[in-house]
């Protein structure tokens, strides 16, 4: 054990600390060390390679084909950003280093990544300051609502409710409830946006704030958002921007300019970082002036001598929200992504995301019913009601696509639309790839007329076909060999 440790440290370049700076000599107590060798399966290298290769080939990823999941922004993650995140100068850093006496000078590069990312995201969203700590979008929401609660507490406001449109992502009401608020749901109008008259009807002095996704999960940008912000501010409420759909507006419209006080962005959606398996994500939170003093600690500040340091001295802070500084490897990828694209590239990203979604909408609307027949933003929302009349449901179409080696779009979400099929091609897909997807969707529609029964035992190409989805979610069994047996 000792030998391996010494070897791995000395084998890497540039990270030998001078003796004087090694403040803590770590020694693992005997009671924590393994007393006997672990029993590991004895298999040949080839068997191991084949096992993992087989598993990896069963895994669908955006590296394999289009991944048009609406509300998820499953776009291509540039390999360049992976390379940056793998640089030993970053990934060999110990997270405690900046807290050791004199340790900060060894991590100036890493602190600069965090510091610059905060500033760039502030610029992109029109916010005053950011924290990079939250570990997912939902975690960012909770952080944002805690900031909101801290603001009301500091002002002595008595607040009970958070207003959320009925089209919202499920994490919105969950985060608000975890933070101790009661939720008021407001219905959407016929065009897909929040119904402002219904909002007025529920607005009282007890409303802490409103959570809104712009554009929302209907793929619609609510043009009344500034008016909504005025209403919420009139009761000293806070406007929360769920930035999961920022991929549609980045470089074109800033939440801070249209009345929002706090935002989260999903680096794994908008900023091209990997996304899946429940993590690692990253949901940095930005705030305007009103909420800045409540931001989590630690914060990164630039001292007069130009040195970046961690500052814990914020008495009004909501405290720690994550261990250390957030998912640093993910933040690094987003940082590299922002440098790679530059401001023009980020703007082009959202332009193309919107263009691609409208292309898919325009080509498929002859076959599937559009939920809202209007120009959409980064995703288009259909309903499979016409196909359902022939006995083929949204889930059947999804299963059909799996057999065509295409990842299905999001189905049955948002809940406001029956038999919803929500397609988000993202900006990284070519017209050729989208055409293959569109043709498969057209074919599914044709088959729903000619042979609706065919759908019921699809997919045929997968090791499992139609699990009991509720049970599968509760009693997850991901042992491939057990399933095959
Ligand atoms: C994805 C998403 C979230 C949650 O983000 P996670 O990173 O998955 O926790 C919240 N709101 C919307 C609209 C989303 O699409």
């Amino acid at each position: 054990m000792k030998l391996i440790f010494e070897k791995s440290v000395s084998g890497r370049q540039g990270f030998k600390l001078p003796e004087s700076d090694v403040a803590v000599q770590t020694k693992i107590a005997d009671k924590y060390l393994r007393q006997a060798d672990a029993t590991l399966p004895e298999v040949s290298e080839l068997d191991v390679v084949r096992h993992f290769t087989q598993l990896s080939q069963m895994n669908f990823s955006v590296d394999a084909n289009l991944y048009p999941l609406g509300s998820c922004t499953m776009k291509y993650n540039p390999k360049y950003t992976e390379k940056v995140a793998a640089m030993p100068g970053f990934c060999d850093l110990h997270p405690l280093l900046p807290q050791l006496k004199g340790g900060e000078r060894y991590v100036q590069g890493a602190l600069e990544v965090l510091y610059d990312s905060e500033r760039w995201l502030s610029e992109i969203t029109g916010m005053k300051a950011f924290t990079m700590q939250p570990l997912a979008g939902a975690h960012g929401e909770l952080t944002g609502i805690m900031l909101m609660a801290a603001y009301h507490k500091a002002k002595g406001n008595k607040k009970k409710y958070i207003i959320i449109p009925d089209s919202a992502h499920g994490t919105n009401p969950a985060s608000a409830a975890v933070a101790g608020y009661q939720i008021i749901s407001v219905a959407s109008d016929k065009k897909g946006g929040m119904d402002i008259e219904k909002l007025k009807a529920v607005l009282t002095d007890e409303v802490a704030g409103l959570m809104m996704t712009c554009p929302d999960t209907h793929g619609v940008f609510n043009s009344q958002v500034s008016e909504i912000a005025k209403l919420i501010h009139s009761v000293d409420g806070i406007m929360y921007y769920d930035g999961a759909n920022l991929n549609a507006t980045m470089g074109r419209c800033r939440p801070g300019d249209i009345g929002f006080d706090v935002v989260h962005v999903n680096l794994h959606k908008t900023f091209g970082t990997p996304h899946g398996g429940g993590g690692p994500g990253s949901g940095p939170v930005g705030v305007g002036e009103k909420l800045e003093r409540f931001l989590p600690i630690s914060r990164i500040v630039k001292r007069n001598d130009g040195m970046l340091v961690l500052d814990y001295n914020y008495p009004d802070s909501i405290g720690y929200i994550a261990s250390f500084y957030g998912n640093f490897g993910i933040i690094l990828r987003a940082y590299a992504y922002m440098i790679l694209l530059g401001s023009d590239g980020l703007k082009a990203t959202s332009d193309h995301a919107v263009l691609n979604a409208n292309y898919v909408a325009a080509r498929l609307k002859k076959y599937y019913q559009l939920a809202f027949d209007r120009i959409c933003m980064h995703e288009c929302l259909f309903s499979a009601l016409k196909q359902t009349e022939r006995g083929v449901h949204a889930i059947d179409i999804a299963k059909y696509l799996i057999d065509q080696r295409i990842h299905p779009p999001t189905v049955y979400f948002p809940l406001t639309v029956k038999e919803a099929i929500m397609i988000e091609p993202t900006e990284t897909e070519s017209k050729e790839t989208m055409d293959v997807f569109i043709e498969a969707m057209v074919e599914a529609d044709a088959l729903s007329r000619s042979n609706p029964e065919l759908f019921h035992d699809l997919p045929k190409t997968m090791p499992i076909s139609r699990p009991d989805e509720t049970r599968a979610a509760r009693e997850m069994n991901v042992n491939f060999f057990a399933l095959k047996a």
Side-chain angles (χ1 to χ4, degrees):
M1 174 123 187
K2 191 154 175 277
L3 266 179
I4 293 169
F5 178 71
E6 279 171 1
K7 214 164 140 196
S8 66
V9 170
S10 58
R12 296 195 180 150
Q13 298 152 0
F15 274 87
K16 228 161 176 245
L17 294 178
E19 284 303 317
S20 58
D21 273 354
V22 184
V24 193
Q25 283 287 355
T26 29
K27 169 135 179 38
I28 300 170
D30 279 347
K31 66 174 175 180
Y32 295 120
L33 294 178
R34 207 196 303 281
Q35 300 304 318
D37 287 345
T39 44
L40 298 172
E42 293 296 326
V43 284
S44 72
E45 177 179 326
L46 182 57
D47 286 340
V48 173
V49 168
R50 284 188 181 153
H51 171 74
F52 284 108
T53 303
Q54 263 193 46
L55 284 182
S56 75
Q57 285 169 345
M58 295 180 63
N59 235 353
F60 191 91
S61 87
V62 79
D63 286 352
N65 203 350
L66 166 84
Y67 208 135
L69 270 186
S71 198
C72 288
T73 314
M74 303 296 294
K75 63 188 186 183
Y76 177 64
N77 311 141
K79 297 299 170 252
Y80 163 79
T81 62
E82 296 298 318
K83 221 168 170 173
V84 172
M87 288 162 93
F90 288 122
C91 59
D92 285 356
L93 287 178
H94 195 287
L96 281 174
L97 206 47
Q99 292 170 30
L100 289 183
K101 192 163 182 292
E104 272 147 353
R105 69 193 145 101
Y106 297 105
V107 293
Q108 284 301 295
L111 292 182
E112 195 175 318
V113 167
L114 295 170
Y115 186 81
D116 284 350
S117 300
E118 288 179 3
R119 252 121 228 102
W120 295 346
L121 290 177
S122 297
E123 175 62 28
I124 289 169
T125 57
M127 290 288 131
K128 179 136 187 286
F130 252 79
T131 171
M132 300 303 292
Q133 285 179 39
L135 305 169
H139 193 201
E141 290 170 28
L142 180 63
T143 306
I145 304 295
M146 287 166 71
L147 294 169
M148 195 188 280
Y151 168 84
H152 289 308
K153 191 169 171 212
K155 287 192 79 176
N157 289 345
K158 297 268 173 287
K159 301 285 192 180
K160 260 203 207 148
Y161 303 104
I162 290 190
I163 299 179
I164 303 177
D166 65 351
S167 62
H169 194 266
T171 48
N172 287 190
S175 303
V178 169
Y181 287 105
Q182 291 170 48
I183 286 93
I184 300 177
S185 176
V186 173
S188 306
D189 61 20
K190 278 197 229 59
K191 288 199 217 138
M194 180 190 254
D195 189 323
I196 207 156
E197 291 311 315
K198 291 196 172 131
L199 169 65
K200 284 180 188 158
V202 294
L203 191 63
T204 66
D205 282 342
E206 286 188 316
V207 168
L210 177 139
M211 295 179 90
M212 220 172 149
T213 312
C214 288
D216 64 17
T217 48
H218 289 152
V220 170
F221 191 97
N222 192 324
S223 54
Q224 293 176 304
V225 60
S226 295
E227 198 183 325
I228 292 173
K230 274 199 202 102
L231 286 169
I232 297 299
H233 288 151
S234 75
V235 297
D236 200 15
I238 296 290
M239 286 288 285
Y240 184 97
Y241 180 91
D242 177 332
N245 293 340
L246 191 71
N247 207 46
T249 53
M250 178 167 56
R252 289 281 170 199
C253 161
R254 306 193 314 165
D257 297 340
I258 52 175
F260 287 96
D261 306 298
V262 50
V263 314
H264 88 257
V265 298
N266 302 55
L267 298 187
H268 46 290
K269 294 182 180 172
T270 310
F271 294 91
T273 73
H275 180 161
S282 180
V285 168
V287 289
E289 186 119 38
K290 268 194 245 181
L291 299 180
E292 190 186 358
R293 65 192 171 107
F294 306 109
L295 278 177
I297 46 174
S298 58
R299 295 187 58 193
I300 298 159
V301 294
K302 197 173 250 172
R303 269 192 341 217
N304 287 340
D305 62 359
M307 183 93 116
L308 293 168
V309 293
L310 296 176
D311 191 349
Y312 293 83
N313 189 21
Y314 291 91
D316 295 330
S317 164
I318 59 168
Y320 295 94
I321 206 74
S323 50
F324 301 112
Y325 327 101
N327 262 330
F328 184 67
I330 294 294
I331 296 165
L332 251 181
R333 288 169 172 89
Y335 176 83
Y337 182 82
M338 288 190 267
I339 292 178
L340 181 67
L341 292 184
S343 57
D344 288 345
L346 293 178
K347 194 189 276 178
T349 292
S350 48
D351 290 358
H352 287 134
V354 172
L355 181 63
N356 283 359
N358 279 285
Y359 175 67
V360 173
R363 286 213 44 205
L364 283 181
K365 70 188 238 189
K366 270 189 278 185
Y367 308 93
Y368 295 86
Q369 186 180 315
L370 269 177
F372 305 101
D373 195 357
R374 54 186 281 179
I375 300 280
C376 65
M377 295 298 288
H378 61 305
E379 56 198 358
C380 52
L381 181 56
F382 288 97
S383 159
L385 275 181
K386 281 197 269 181
Q387 289 72 18
T388 298
E389 281 166 19
R390 303 172 204 134
V392 176
H393 292 261
I395 188 83
D396 300 318
I397 293 159
K399 301 288 185 191
Y400 173 80
L401 291 173
I402 292 174
D403 273 350
Q404 309 303 309
R405 297 248 144 226
I406 294 172
H407 196 287
T410 298
V411 289
Y412 300 110
F413 181 81
L415 304 174
T416 42
V417 172
K418 285 206 182 94
E419 295 289 332
I421 300 183
M422 192 195 204
I423 303 165
E424 181 178 1
T426 81
E427 77 285 1
T428 54
E429 295 306 330
S430 65
K431 178 172 175 297
E432 289 74 16
T433 306
M434 288 189 291
D435 284 342
V436 171
F437 167 73
I438 289 164
E439 273 139 36
M441 287 290 288
V442 171
E443 184 63 24
D445 171 62
L447 285 169
S448 76
R449 293 163 206 271
S450 62
N451 190 2
E453 292 78 37
L454 164 130
F455 286 87
H456 296 148
D457 42 80
L458 301 184
K460 289 193 189 286
T461 57
M462 292 288 125
I464 45 171
S465 180
R466 295 242 175 180
D468 171 344
E469 308 232 349
T470 317
R471 206 182 120 217
R474 294 206 175 130
E475 297 167 33
M476 188 156 66
N477 180 355
V478 290
N479 185 336
F480 165 58
F481 295 101
L483 289 170
K484 270 197 128 175

